[in-house]
Amino acid sequence: MEEKIKKIRSMIRDVPDFPKKGILFKDITTALLDAQTLKLSVDCIYDVFKDKKIDYIAGIESRGFIYGMPLAYKFNCGFVPIRKPNKLPCEVISEEYDLEYGKDRIEIHKDALKKTDRILIVDDLLATGGTALAAINLIKKVANPVGISFVIELENLGGRQKLPQDVEVFSLVKY
Ligand code: AMP
């Protein structure tokens, strides 16, 4: 695993001062371009959760969709989009969360899941954990979130500590 993670790490591009001054943006597009890295990333996450009886992958818009879909294919299970407000056409349930300035909301279709469904939530990056916590709380309203996975974790922002203990948190590359 260590060698694979080293390879994935080497393909993530650092972009200073994006989208604003002082932010070091972790750019996954370079890790997506490289076929071997893309496959390694998906396979490593799959290996961690393969025995957890996952029924559905729930991907967080929008970069969670990128990794979530190949994972659903690999798990041979369905995919549930966790979307930004007013994107889903049918009745939704939502969860609000705090941003640096103001609030945001994520939504899923109300009829997508049932209480006993075991869900792996997928996103690209764990920073402050606000988005991840909202996604877990959202899924908890309708199903059983057993795990959440990220390609990148920014450990100094303490996101992991915000997440509930009953959900397995996995990240591939830690900074
Ligand atoms: P947070 O809610 O703070 O954990 O932020 C999560 C989302 O913000 C992730 O899904 C990323 O897409 C994005 N994000 C936050 N910080 C960064 C960063 N330094 N580089 C790239 N994306 C980031």
Side-chain angles (χ1 to χ4, degrees):
M1 187 84 142
E2 272 319 301
E3 275 310 300
K4 293 176 182 172
I5 288 170
K6 221 163 131 186
K7 166 75 182 168
I8 298 164
R9 183 188 291 270
S10 75
M11 297 306 289
I12 295 166
R13 175 164 60 183
D14 282 351
V15 185
D17 298 323
F18 182 87
K20 55 183 180 190
K21 212 164 173 45
I23 305 277
L24 182 63
F25 190 83
K26 296 290 178 190
D27 179 19
I28 55 155
T29 63
T30 39
L32 293 169
L33 260 184
D34 181 66
Q36 191 200 358
T37 306
L38 175 57
K39 191 168 180 351
L40 274 181
S41 308
V42 173
D43 288 352
C44 286
I45 296 171
Y46 173 77
D47 281 344
V48 171
F49 290 99
K50 65 174 187 285
D51 299 323
K52 302 284 176 177
K53 300 190 169 76
I54 300 301
D55 294 308
Y56 294 95
I57 300 291
I60 304 175
E61 187 172 357
S62 56
R63 276 171 272 166
F65 293 177
I66 296 173
Y67 290 101
M69 270 307 302
L71 276 163
Y73 188 86
K74 234 187 130 91
F75 275 95
N76 194 25
C77 72
F79 177 86
V80 183
I82 298 178
R83 298 219 61 182
K84 294 179 175 150
N86 309 315
K87 300 279 187 189
L88 291 168
C90 296
E91 200 180 340
V92 295
I93 53 157
S94 28
E95 177 75 19
E96 216 175 55
Y97 61 104
D98 292 323
L99 292 177
E100 199 178 341
Y101 303 104
K103 287 190 180 298
D104 210 347
R105 203 169 81 229
I106 48 175
E107 302 182 333
I108 57 169
H109 270 147
K110 197 173 180 180
D111 62 359
L113 300 172
K114 58 182 184 303
K115 265 290 177 208
T116 50
D117 287 333
R118 296 170 60 82
I119 311 300
L120 174 62
I121 301 169
V122 176
D123 204 0
D124 65 329
L125 185 145
L126 176 62
T128 65
T131 315
L133 180 61
I136 290 171
N137 288 339
L138 178 67
I139 296 297
K140 275 189 171 173
K141 288 176 177 171
V142 284
N144 176 15
V146 296
I148 184 160
S149 76
F150 305 91
V151 175
I152 300 167
E153 176 176 357
L154 305 180
E155 284 186 304
N156 61 331
L157 296 179
R160 184 180 283 263
Q161 286 72 45
K162 268 196 207 141
L163 305 182
Q165 301 262 321
D166 58 344
V167 178
E168 183 174 344
V169 181
F170 174 72
S171 62
L172 269 173
V173 183
K174 296 178 169 63
Y175 292 91

